[in-house]
Amino acid sequence: MNSPFPFGFPAASGWYLTLYVLTFCLHAVLMSYVFAGTFFTMIACCFKRLNDSTEDKARSLSALLRDWLPLFLSAAITAGVAPLLFIQILYRDSFYTANLLMFHRWMSILPVLIVGFYLLYVLKTKWFLHRSVPIRLAITFATLGCFAYTGWSWTENHLLSLQSEDVWVDQYESRAMVFVSAQIFPRLGMILAATFPTLSVLLGWQLMWNGTDKADADAHTKTLAIVSVAGLVVSGIFGGVYLGIIPEFARSALFRWIAMPYVILGLLGGVLQLGSWILQARKRELSVPLLLLAAAGVMLMWLGIGVAREAIRISHIDIASLYEQHQDASTKGGVIAFFVFAVINTCVIAYCIHLVRKGLRSNDSTLDAMDEASTASTPVD
Amino acid sequence: MNPLDIPYYPVNDFGPAMKGMIIGGLGIFHVFVAQFAIGGGILLCYFQWLAQTGRSPIARQFVDGYFRLLVLISFVVGALTGVGMWLTTIQVSPRTIGIMVQEFHWLWAIEWTFFSLEVASGYCFYRYGKQLNDHTRFFLLTVYSVAAWFSLFWINGILSWQLTPDGWLESHNVWSGFFNSTFWPSLFFRTITSMATAALVACIVINLTSFDREQRTELINKAAHLFLPMILMLPLGIWFLVAMPADSRSWVLGGSIAMTLFLNLGIVCSILIGGYTLIGLVRQKLYINGATATLLCALAMMATAGAEFVREGVRKPYTIREHLYSNSLTESEVAALRAVGCVSSDPYPLRDPESYPTKQLRTGAKVFRIQCSVCHTIDGANGVTHLTSTWTPSQLRLNIAQLQRTKPFMPPFAGTAAEVEAIVQFIQWNLDGQPETWDQEFDPEVLKEIDGYLDEVGTKPGTHLAAHAASLHVMNGSSAQGAAIYE
């Protein structure tokens, strides 16, 4: 493969691979908020007495997270449907085989995710706030466990799907629903650690956009910077370990044209994030230009991870044998209708958000006007 | 080596549970929750309109509470069971879902855009609805309802295509397959059941609120308006019956007792719900307490269960009509496998080969796994041992070789005479309590007889045989006695 991803492939295959990688990246960004956010909330439970007053919401990152986690999980699941669709076009047989081999173990991610989802709602309750630290810790740990289990299961499914038919046959014969591989832990560690710098960027934007007082928002700069830098460093370490243990043919794929430009972009993304957060931490304030830089860094990082992932996968399989299947899929109708509805529905979503913001601003203006009127009518001594 | 390029996937064993029960169980639950979400949006639009036009001021308060429930249930369980349907279908029939995704992935992607819109508008309302004016609230609820309904629109087309692919069989055109003959009746039917489901849940929720009796009665009577379209369920049901293939129709009208019973379950439950709600709640404006509302909701779930079982069952012997049999083989593959055998290219060994005393029994176990286990267990639900307990070996050979004659909703046997004999031995061994020793049966005369059965019946489905026989009767003016041989 002598061209950068996705140009070395036939048009249909390149098209579906691109869609898969892009939708995977979107899902990963949203999933990052959920995983890293739950982890952050768990740590906050250890150190802080949690309150639910409006004042504390503005000041407390954990309160902000607890408020938004269910929505982000819903968004992550919704966004996850897209790569789930495209992976069935691209790698149908291997994906289905891995699903079948993992059997109940694989299907268990659904009730686990349902439990995790409802636990996120529990985190929002006053009941949770008034529990002792050990209980709050146990609940958040259980919540985090649900998402970690899901991530672990997906990683296992992915690695199993890369194996040869001989391995699949052995796995089937052994009735083992768990696929053991030395790659699981470092690979999972790399991706889960990468969720933390992503969380920092998302929280930074949330603080800038959700009406939080600038001083309160800036007070979190150092925390966000530490979370980001720590996540990048740990992800890098796990990435290094992972690189060391994958087979040579998979490792060399990362240094070929298919992936190398993206690996470089991914590393550049990490550098951009490091630079952005170090500067913001020094200034002790969040800055829109630097947050934009960090956001660009996050996108490049996940793009690099996404393409590297595919390059490693492709090094394991005979993708040329799937070109005909991809070409056949590309002849199926509906793509124009998809783009039309995608544009329309995106605009409607944006309009809904605009209406809500306008409505909330209008409420704020009305309240301000009432305050002013009240002040004006109050006699002054 | 897999010269026919048939995909062989590992096949799992669900113990005593039929695979159809697994997918059906989750499907029924998901459909019920999804109906609640879709109908809930319509109901809430109506209630918001009642509130903002002054017709029912208390409706506004109810809207906020009901929507919270909608989010907590449908956004969590509804969404994840929807993904669960995909994963469960992979477990039960990967080839079917693979073909569906291959053909309709762009329409599924369109559904995804509407689902995203549903989630976005829903969360906008959930988080900020109380702080917004009526106009914005109504807009968000309308967007949510429309998006939820369009999720139904797109998935309904894909699912109904499985029963009536119509022009897609010739052209493989996505739109010919999507807008098929059962699309519209099923879409309208599901819309009405969604509204009824949401209204029933509303009746339960209203009873849990702090409103007084008079206020609850007012809200219940308003919610009951969503039952009115149920009067269209009968004509829509008839439209669906007329639109479905003749053989499928014959099964729900008596040909298959199980499907007939489930259809009647759905009809009776719907009549009970419709009768009570239309007469009691709409006409007489009665009050309904929480217990009664819960009972009606349980009936609604049973009606959904009956309808979903029928919808899945009437596709037989196909999962995609005239394209893929329920054993995940095409008609041409059946013909090819009659020559080379269905187990010869299966790479997956038996997990417990030592349990079977002979190689022939192991072959029979593999044949069962590939061709039968999608719908049958050995001695659990729909167990082959229960179904064949009184058959002689000769009857087993004939009925398995000519499966599509045994029951017209069975697919043709896709294997060699030796494989027929292997599964006959396998069933008999199980009927005999799985003894530790067993003789192998390789009588050439028996195999020749089985070959004759296979050649005689051919590889066409049973529905084709019945139609062919019927046309012969018309041509030859055969007696009723002659016709009885084929029925």
Side-chain angles (χ1 to χ4, degrees):
Chain A
M1 201 68 58
N2 293 324
S3 306
F5 181 93
F7 298 107
F9 302 97
S13 303
W15 165 236
Y16 285 114
L17 281 165
T18 304
L19 287 171
Y20 173 68
V21 167
L22 291 177
T23 53
F24 168 78
C25 292
L26 174 62
H27 166 70
V29 166
L30 294 166
M31 176 274 296
S32 297
Y33 190 100
V34 176
F35 181 81
T38 308
F39 187 97
F40 189 99
T41 305
M42 185 179 72
I43 301 300
C45 284
C46 297
F47 293 108
K48 290 177 99 162
R49 177 160 182 78
L50 303 176
N51 290 305
D52 194 35
S53 68
T54 309
E55 202 178 281
D56 262 322
K57 264 188 179 157
R59 294 198 171 137
S60 162
L61 277 179
S62 68
L64 183 66
L65 283 165
R66 279 182 286 111
D67 193 25
W68 285 86
L69 275 169
L71 188 153
F72 268 87
L73 178 58
S74 192
I77 291 168
T78 305
V81 170
L84 182 60
L85 178 71
F86 293 121
I87 200 173
Q88 294 179 73
I89 305 287
L90 286 163
Y91 310 113
R92 183 173 60 217
D93 289 351
S94 55
F95 177 66
Y96 287 171
T97 300
N99 276 226
L100 286 157
L101 289 171
M102 287 174 70
F103 197 20
H104 295 309
R105 156 91 175 69
W106 175 241
M107 298 301 292
S108 66
I109 63 170
L110 295 168
V112 163
L113 270 175
I114 289 174
V115 168
F117 211 142
Y118 282 121
L119 284 175
L120 287 181
Y121 278 107
V122 169
L123 300 191
K124 289 180 70 160
T125 61
K126 284 188 169 55
W127 176 89
F128 174 78
L129 291 175
H130 293 129
R131 298 279 74 76
S132 62
V133 168
I135 292 179
R136 280 191 269 126
L137 198 54
I139 294 173
T140 47
F141 182 77
T143 313
L144 186 72
C146 291
F147 305 133
Y149 177 79
T150 305
W152 168 36
S153 303
W154 269 108
T155 304
E156 207 177 299
N157 184 305
H158 177 98
L159 290 172
L160 183 54
S161 73
L162 304 186
Q163 306 306 312
S164 65
E165 191 176 82
D166 289 340
V167 173
W168 292 343
V169 166
D170 287 343
Q171 184 82 7
Y172 180 76
E173 209 170 3
S174 71
R175 295 179 191 262
M177 292 186 209
V178 177
F179 177 63
V180 177
S181 166
Q183 293 182 39
I184 291 175
F185 184 61
R187 186 188 167 101
L188 187 61
M190 179 182 71
I191 291 190
L192 291 183
T195 64
F196 288 87
T198 313
L199 173 72
S200 290
V201 168
L202 290 169
L203 279 175
W205 284 114
Q206 256 192 308
L207 289 168
M208 297 292 264
W209 275 355
N210 72 349
T212 303
D213 187 69
K214 185 74 169 56
D216 290 333
D218 290 340
H220 296 301
T221 309
K222 193 174 167 195
T223 304
L224 295 179
I226 291 171
V227 166
S228 179
V229 170
L232 287 166
V233 167
V234 171
S235 184
I237 293 170
F238 274 119
V241 171
Y242 179 63
L243 207 60
I245 64 172
I246 57 174
E248 172 56 35
F249 63 84
R251 188 163 45 248
S252 63
L254 297 176
F255 297 102
R256 289 204 291 269
W257 269 110
I258 182 178
M260 193 68 213
Y262 292 92
V263 171
I264 293 171
L265 282 176
L267 291 170
L268 175 65
V271 168
L272 287 177
Q273 290 175 79
L274 273 173
S276 159
W277 285 111
I278 288 170
L279 286 172
Q280 289 182 95
R282 277 200 185 142
K283 285 181 174 183
R284 291 184 187 277
E285 68 173 330
L286 296 173
S287 140
V288 169
L290 289 173
L291 275 177
L292 278 170
L293 198 67
V298 162
M299 288 194 282
L300 290 176
M301 176 182 75
W302 282 112
L303 188 61
I305 290 174
V307 173
R309 224 171 142 258
E310 282 324 290
I312 292 172
R313 185 202 312 259
I314 288 164
S315 71
H316 279 80
I317 64 172
D318 175 19
I319 195 166
S321 66
L322 302 173
Y323 288 163
E324 197 180 319
Q325 183 181 304
H326 303 159
Q327 175 58 32
D328 176 64
S330 72
T331 63
K332 307 304 174 184
V335 64
I336 295 172
F338 165 70
F339 279 112
V340 167
F341 282 112
V343 167
I344 291 172
N345 289 337
T346 303
C347 291
V348 176
I349 290 172
Y351 186 64
C352 287
I353 295 170
H354 162 74
L355 268 186
V356 166
R357 289 176 73 86
K358 186 176 157 190
L360 294 175
R361 273 199 302 272
S362 167
N363 283 350
D364 288 342
S365 305
T366 307
L367 283 171
D368 288 342
M370 282 168 68
D371 280 343
E372 278 180 26
S374 169
T375 307
S377 66
T378 305
V380 178
D381 289 330
Chain B
M1 278 289 289
N2 188 355
L4 299 175
D5 210 23
I6 295 170
Y8 280 93
Y9 295 104
V11 178
N12 287 317
D13 181 8
F14 284 81
M18 205 174 117
K19 286 177 186 174
M21 290 163 67
I22 307 299
I23 199 167
L26 184 66
I28 288 160
F29 185 72
H30 170 71
V31 165
F32 195 75
V33 173
Q35 283 174 174
F36 163 57
I38 296 161
I42 297 170
L43 181 139
L44 289 173
C45 278
Y46 176 49
F47 270 51
Q48 175 61 32
W49 175 78
L50 288 171
Q52 69 191 51
T53 55
R55 286 170 168 81
S56 182
I58 57 170
R60 193 180 206 273
Q61 193 181 335
F62 174 76
V63 165
D64 292 323
Y66 191 84
F67 200 87
R68 186 170 289 267
L69 185 72
L70 201 119
V71 165
L72 283 175
I73 295 177
S74 72
F75 279 33
V76 181
V77 176
L80 283 166
T81 53
V83 174
M85 287 306 300
W86 246 349
L87 301 187
T88 309
T89 313
I90 292 170
Q91 293 292 328
V92 171
S93 186
R95 202 165 175 202
T96 302
I97 191 68
I99 292 172
M100 290 168 77
V101 168
Q102 184 86 350
E103 294 294 319
F104 292 103
H105 55 282
W106 289 119
L107 304 197
W108 243 310
I110 296 173
E111 191 211 350
W112 174 74
T113 69
F114 280 100
F115 185 60
S116 302
L117 177 60
E118 187 183 339
V119 169
S121 58
Y123 268 113
C124 280
F125 188 90
Y126 172 67
R127 287 188 68 86
Y128 303 108
K130 285 183 183 172
Q131 302 166 62
L132 300 171
N133 61 33
D134 282 332
H135 170 80
T136 307
R137 285 167 61 93
F138 188 74
F139 179 82
L140 290 175
L141 286 171
T142 305
V143 167
Y144 170 83
S145 305
V146 169
W149 186 82
F150 267 104
S151 294
L152 166 66
F153 179 94
W154 293 105
I155 192 63
N156 181 64
I158 298 169
L159 292 178
S160 58
W161 161 83
Q162 286 184 269
L163 177 64
T164 47
D166 295 350
W168 176 87
L169 288 169
E170 290 281 332
S171 63
H172 279 244
N173 179 278
V174 146
W175 301 111
S176 301
F178 184 83
F179 290 109
N180 58 77
S181 43
T182 55
F183 171 74
W184 292 111
S186 53
L187 177 68
F188 296 138
F189 196 94
R190 286 181 186 279
T191 303
I192 292 170
T193 56
S194 297
M195 292 166 71
T197 303
L200 285 172
V201 175
C203 290
I204 298 174
V205 171
I206 289 165
N207 274 283
L208 298 173
T209 61
S210 54
F211 293 124
D212 62 39
R213 171 80 177 227
E214 198 181 312
Q215 289 171 321
R216 290 185 197 179
T217 306
E218 178 192 329
L219 291 174
I220 286 169
N221 292 151
K222 297 288 188 226
H225 293 155
L226 264 73
F227 293 119
L228 281 167
M230 285 184 78
I231 54 177
L232 295 174
M233 284 174 89
L234 178 62
L236 286 170
I238 292 170
W239 182 4
F240 187 84
L241 270 178
V242 167
M244 68 163 66
D247 49 293
S248 301
R249 186 166 52 248
S250 71
W251 300 327
V252 296
L253 296 179
S256 160
I257 192 61
M259 287 191 228
T260 305
L261 281 173
F262 273 103
L263 175 68
N264 283 309
L265 173 71
I267 291 171
V268 166
C269 289
S270 299
I271 289 172
L272 287 172
I273 296 166
Y276 185 96
T277 54
L278 290 174
I279 297 170
L281 299 186
V282 177
R283 189 138 191 265
Q284 297 183 353
K285 297 195 188 314
L286 294 177
Y287 175 77
I288 177 175
N289 64 24
T292 307
T294 305
L295 182 65
L296 289 176
C297 222
L299 282 178
M301 191 143 187
M302 287 168 63
T304 303
E308 288 300 305
F309 181 89
V310 166
R311 188 184 57 75
E312 288 284 322
V314 292
R315 285 193 210 125
K316 291 184 190 303
Y318 299 101
T319 54
I320 301 169
R321 185 161 183 92
E322 294 184 39
H323 186 71
L324 191 75
Y325 286 120
S326 47
N327 55 14
S328 296
L329 296 168
T330 64
E331 198 176 304
S332 58
E333 286 165 357
V334 169
L337 290 176
R338 289 270 176 100
V340 302
C342 64
V343 305
S344 54
S345 298
D346 181 4
Y348 293 99
L350 291 172
R351 281 167 155 165
D352 52 351
E354 65 286 347
S355 307
Y356 308 99
T358 70
K359 188 178 174 200
Q360 189 178 44
L361 285 176
R362 287 191 286 276
T363 301
K366 285 187 89 171
V367 171
F368 176 84
R369 186 176 71 181
I370 292 171
Q371 293 204 47
C372 315
S373 68
V374 66
C375 297
H376 293 280
T377 61
I378 295 171
D379 54 11
N382 207 24
V384 289
T385 53
H386 303 312
L387 295 168
T388 64
S389 59
T390 56
W391 293 3
T392 64
S394 299
Q395 283 174 310
L396 274 170
R397 289 179 185 116
L398 172 64
N399 290 338
I400 290 172
Q402 301 199 344
L403 265 181
Q404 67 265 54
R405 277 207 177 126
T406 306
K407 291 278 182 192
F409 51 75
M410 295 285 293
F413 185 81
T416 60
E419 288 177 341
V420 171
E421 184 60 22
I423 195 167
V424 165
Q425 294 300 315
F426 174 74
I427 292 172
Q428 285 213 287
W429 176 71
N430 275 285
L431 282 167
D432 274 12
Q434 299 181 354
E436 286 181 10
T437 59
W438 191 259
D439 291 333
Q440 301 202 90
E441 178 64 57
F442 286 124
D443 186 342
E445 288 303 313
V446 168
L447 294 178
K448 192 174 164 190
E449 187 182 34
I450 296 172
D451 262 324
Y453 295 151
L454 290 167
D455 290 340
E456 184 196 5
V457 77
T459 59
K460 293 285 181 197
T463 49
H464 175 90
L465 295 176
H468 182 63
S471 69
L472 281 179
H473 297 162
V474 169
M475 280 168 58
N476 299 336
S478 299
S479 66
Q481 190 180 3
I485 294 173
Y486 297 101
E487 283 165 17

